[in-house]
Short mmCIF file of all heavy atoms in Angstrom, two decimals:
data_model
loop_
_atom_site.label_atom_id
_atom_site.label_comp_id
_atom_site.label_asym_id
_atom_site.label_seq_id
_atom_site.Cartn_x
_atom_site.Cartn_y
_atom_site.Cartn_z
N PRO A 444 2.72 12.12 12.42
CA PRO A 444 2.70 10.96 11.51
C PRO A 444 3.97 10.13 11.50
O PRO A 444 3.90 8.91 11.33
CB PRO A 444 2.45 11.61 10.14
CG PRO A 444 1.65 12.83 10.44
CD PRO A 444 2.22 13.34 11.74
N HIS A 445 5.15 10.76 11.67
CA HIS A 445 6.39 9.99 11.58
C HIS A 445 6.53 8.97 12.70
O HIS A 445 7.34 8.04 12.60
CB HIS A 445 7.61 10.94 11.61
CG HIS A 445 7.87 11.54 12.97
ND1 HIS A 445 7.29 12.72 13.37
CD2 HIS A 445 8.62 11.11 14.02
CE1 HIS A 445 7.69 13.01 14.60
NE2 HIS A 445 8.48 12.05 15.02
N ALA A 446 5.73 9.10 13.75
CA ALA A 446 5.83 8.19 14.90
C ALA A 446 5.03 6.91 14.71
O ALA A 446 4.99 6.08 15.62
CB ALA A 446 5.37 8.91 16.17
N PHE A 447 4.42 6.74 13.52
CA PHE A 447 3.55 5.59 13.30
C PHE A 447 4.08 4.68 12.21
O PHE A 447 4.82 5.11 11.33
CB PHE A 447 2.14 6.07 12.91
CG PHE A 447 1.43 6.84 13.99
CD1 PHE A 447 1.55 8.22 14.05
CD2 PHE A 447 0.68 6.19 14.94
CE1 PHE A 447 0.91 8.94 15.05
CE2 PHE A 447 0.04 6.90 15.94
CZ PHE A 447 0.15 8.27 16.00
N SER A 448 3.65 3.42 12.26
CA SER A 448 3.96 2.47 11.19
C SER A 448 3.09 2.79 9.98
O SER A 448 2.15 3.59 10.04
CB SER A 448 3.68 1.04 11.65
OG SER A 448 2.28 0.84 11.82
N GLY A 449 3.40 2.15 8.84
CA GLY A 449 2.63 2.38 7.63
C GLY A 449 1.16 2.04 7.80
O GLY A 449 0.28 2.78 7.35
N GLY A 450 0.87 0.92 8.47
CA GLY A 450 -0.51 0.52 8.69
C GLY A 450 -1.25 1.49 9.60
O GLY A 450 -2.43 1.79 9.39
N GLN A 451 -0.56 2.01 10.62
CA GLN A 451 -1.19 2.97 11.52
C GLN A 451 -1.47 4.29 10.80
O GLN A 451 -2.50 4.92 11.02
CB GLN A 451 -0.29 3.20 12.74
CG GLN A 451 -0.25 2.01 13.68
CD GLN A 451 0.83 2.14 14.75
OE1 GLN A 451 1.89 2.72 14.51
NE2 GLN A 451 0.55 1.61 15.92
N ARG A 452 -0.56 4.70 9.92
CA ARG A 452 -0.81 5.92 9.14
C ARG A 452 -2.02 5.75 8.23
O ARG A 452 -2.79 6.69 8.01
CB ARG A 452 0.44 6.29 8.33
CG ARG A 452 1.54 6.93 9.15
CD ARG A 452 2.58 7.59 8.28
NE ARG A 452 3.47 6.65 7.66
CZ ARG A 452 4.64 6.27 8.16
NH1 ARG A 452 5.06 6.76 9.31
NH2 ARG A 452 5.41 5.41 7.52
N GLN A 453 -2.19 4.53 7.69
CA GLN A 453 -3.36 4.30 6.85
C GLN A 453 -4.65 4.44 7.66
O GLN A 453 -5.67 4.95 7.17
CB GLN A 453 -3.28 2.90 6.22
CG GLN A 453 -4.34 2.60 5.19
CD GLN A 453 -4.22 3.47 3.96
OE1 GLN A 453 -4.48 4.66 3.99
NE2 GLN A 453 -3.83 2.87 2.85
N ARG A 454 -4.62 4.02 8.92
CA ARG A 454 -5.80 4.17 9.77
C ARG A 454 -6.13 5.64 10.03
O ARG A 454 -7.30 6.02 10.11
CB ARG A 454 -5.58 3.44 11.10
CG ARG A 454 -5.79 1.95 11.00
CD ARG A 454 -5.63 1.27 12.35
NE ARG A 454 -4.28 0.82 12.57
CZ ARG A 454 -3.84 0.26 13.70
NH1 ARG A 454 -4.67 0.11 14.71
NH2 ARG A 454 -2.60 -0.13 13.83
N ILE A 455 -5.09 6.47 10.14
CA ILE A 455 -5.31 7.92 10.31
C ILE A 455 -6.01 8.49 9.08
O ILE A 455 -6.96 9.28 9.18
CB ILE A 455 -3.96 8.64 10.54
CG1 ILE A 455 -3.31 8.16 11.83
CG2 ILE A 455 -4.17 10.15 10.58
CD1 ILE A 455 -1.87 8.62 11.99
N VAL A 456 -5.56 8.07 7.89
CA VAL A 456 -6.17 8.54 6.64
C VAL A 456 -7.64 8.11 6.56
O VAL A 456 -8.50 8.89 6.13
CB VAL A 456 -5.37 8.01 5.43
CG1 VAL A 456 -6.07 8.34 4.13
CG2 VAL A 456 -3.97 8.59 5.42
N ILE A 457 -7.92 6.89 6.97
CA ILE A 457 -9.30 6.39 6.93
C ILE A 457 -10.18 7.18 7.90
O ILE A 457 -11.30 7.57 7.57
CB ILE A 457 -9.33 4.88 7.25
CG1 ILE A 457 -8.69 4.09 6.11
CG2 ILE A 457 -10.76 4.41 7.49
CD1 ILE A 457 -8.47 2.62 6.42
N ALA A 458 -9.67 7.44 9.11
CA ALA A 458 -10.43 8.21 10.09
C ALA A 458 -10.72 9.62 9.56
O ALA A 458 -11.83 10.14 9.75
CB ALA A 458 -9.66 8.30 11.41
N ARG A 459 -9.77 10.23 8.89
CA ARG A 459 -9.97 11.57 8.34
C ARG A 459 -11.06 11.56 7.26
O ARG A 459 -11.84 12.50 7.16
CB ARG A 459 -8.66 12.10 7.74
CG ARG A 459 -8.76 13.49 7.13
CD ARG A 459 -7.44 13.98 6.63
NE ARG A 459 -6.88 13.11 5.60
CZ ARG A 459 -5.68 13.29 5.03
NH1 ARG A 459 -4.92 14.29 5.43
NH2 ARG A 459 -5.26 12.46 4.11
N ALA A 460 -11.13 10.50 6.47
CA ALA A 460 -12.14 10.41 5.42
C ALA A 460 -13.53 10.20 6.01
O ALA A 460 -14.52 10.72 5.49
CB ALA A 460 -11.80 9.28 4.46
N LEU A 461 -13.63 9.43 7.09
CA LEU A 461 -14.93 9.10 7.66
C LEU A 461 -15.51 10.20 8.54
O LEU A 461 -16.73 10.22 8.77
CB LEU A 461 -14.83 7.81 8.49
CG LEU A 461 -14.44 6.51 7.79
CD1 LEU A 461 -14.40 5.38 8.80
CD2 LEU A 461 -15.40 6.18 6.67
N VAL A 462 -14.68 11.10 9.02
CA VAL A 462 -15.09 12.01 10.09
C VAL A 462 -16.22 12.95 9.69
O VAL A 462 -16.99 13.40 10.54
CB VAL A 462 -13.86 12.80 10.62
CG1 VAL A 462 -13.46 13.91 9.64
CG2 VAL A 462 -14.11 13.35 12.01
N THR A 463 -16.39 13.24 8.40
CA THR A 463 -17.47 14.12 7.95
C THR A 463 -18.78 13.38 7.69
O THR A 463 -19.76 13.99 7.26
CB THR A 463 -17.06 14.88 6.67
OG1 THR A 463 -16.79 13.93 5.64
CG2 THR A 463 -15.84 15.75 6.91
N ILE A 464 -18.81 12.06 7.91
CA ILE A 464 -19.97 11.21 7.61
C ILE A 464 -20.39 11.40 6.14
O ILE A 464 -21.49 11.89 5.84
CB ILE A 464 -21.17 11.50 8.55
CG1 ILE A 464 -20.69 11.69 9.98
CG2 ILE A 464 -22.19 10.37 8.45
CD1 ILE A 464 -20.10 10.47 10.63
N PRO A 465 -19.52 11.04 5.20
CA PRO A 465 -19.79 11.31 3.79
C PRO A 465 -20.84 10.38 3.18
O PRO A 465 -21.15 9.32 3.74
CB PRO A 465 -18.43 11.10 3.13
CG PRO A 465 -17.75 10.09 4.01
CD PRO A 465 -18.23 10.38 5.40
N LYS A 466 -21.36 10.78 2.01
CA LYS A 466 -22.31 9.96 1.26
C LYS A 466 -21.59 9.01 0.29
O LYS A 466 -22.11 7.96 -0.05
CB LYS A 466 -23.26 10.87 0.46
CG LYS A 466 -24.08 11.80 1.33
CD LYS A 466 -25.03 11.01 2.21
CE LYS A 466 -25.82 11.93 3.15
NZ LYS A 466 -26.70 12.86 2.45
N LEU A 467 -20.40 9.42 -0.16
CA LEU A 467 -19.63 8.61 -1.12
C LEU A 467 -18.15 8.68 -0.76
O LEU A 467 -17.61 9.77 -0.54
CB LEU A 467 -19.82 9.14 -2.55
CG LEU A 467 -18.90 8.57 -3.63
CD1 LEU A 467 -19.14 7.08 -3.83
CD2 LEU A 467 -19.08 9.32 -4.95
N ILE A 468 -17.51 7.52 -0.71
CA ILE A 468 -16.08 7.46 -0.44
C ILE A 468 -15.41 6.69 -1.58
O ILE A 468 -15.80 5.57 -1.91
CB ILE A 468 -15.76 6.77 0.90
CG1 ILE A 468 -16.22 7.65 2.07
CG2 ILE A 468 -14.28 6.47 1.03
CD1 ILE A 468 -15.93 7.05 3.43
N ILE A 469 -14.40 7.32 -2.18
CA ILE A 469 -13.51 6.63 -3.12
C ILE A 469 -12.33 6.13 -2.30
O ILE A 469 -11.53 6.93 -1.80
CB ILE A 469 -13.02 7.57 -4.24
CG1 ILE A 469 -14.19 8.30 -4.91
CG2 ILE A 469 -12.19 6.79 -5.25
CD1 ILE A 469 -15.04 7.45 -5.77
N ALA A 470 -12.21 4.85 -2.13
CA ALA A 470 -11.16 4.25 -1.30
C ALA A 470 -10.10 3.65 -2.21
O ALA A 470 -10.29 2.58 -2.79
CB ALA A 470 -11.75 3.19 -0.38
N ASP A 471 -8.98 4.37 -2.37
CA ASP A 471 -7.91 3.96 -3.28
C ASP A 471 -6.89 3.13 -2.51
O ASP A 471 -6.05 3.67 -1.79
CB ASP A 471 -7.26 5.20 -3.89
CG ASP A 471 -6.36 4.86 -5.08
OD1 ASP A 471 -6.15 3.66 -5.33
OD2 ASP A 471 -5.89 5.79 -5.75
N GLU A 472 -6.97 1.81 -2.66
CA GLU A 472 -6.09 0.88 -1.94
C GLU A 472 -6.13 1.18 -0.43
O GLU A 472 -5.10 1.25 0.23
CB GLU A 472 -4.65 0.98 -2.46
CG GLU A 472 -4.49 0.67 -3.94
CD GLU A 472 -4.64 -0.81 -4.27
OE1 GLU A 472 -4.95 -1.59 -3.35
OE2 GLU A 472 -4.44 -1.18 -5.43
#
Side-chain angles (χ1 to χ4, degrees):
H445 73 271
F447 296 91
S448 68
Q451 289 170 327
R452 283 195 284 267
Q453 187 66 289
R454 281 183 268 176
I455 297 169
V456 173
I457 291 171
R459 180 177 61 183
L461 297 180
V462 76
T463 60
I464 318 294
K466 299 295 177 64
L467 169 65
I468 291 181
I469 308 288
D471 193 353
E472 300 287 4

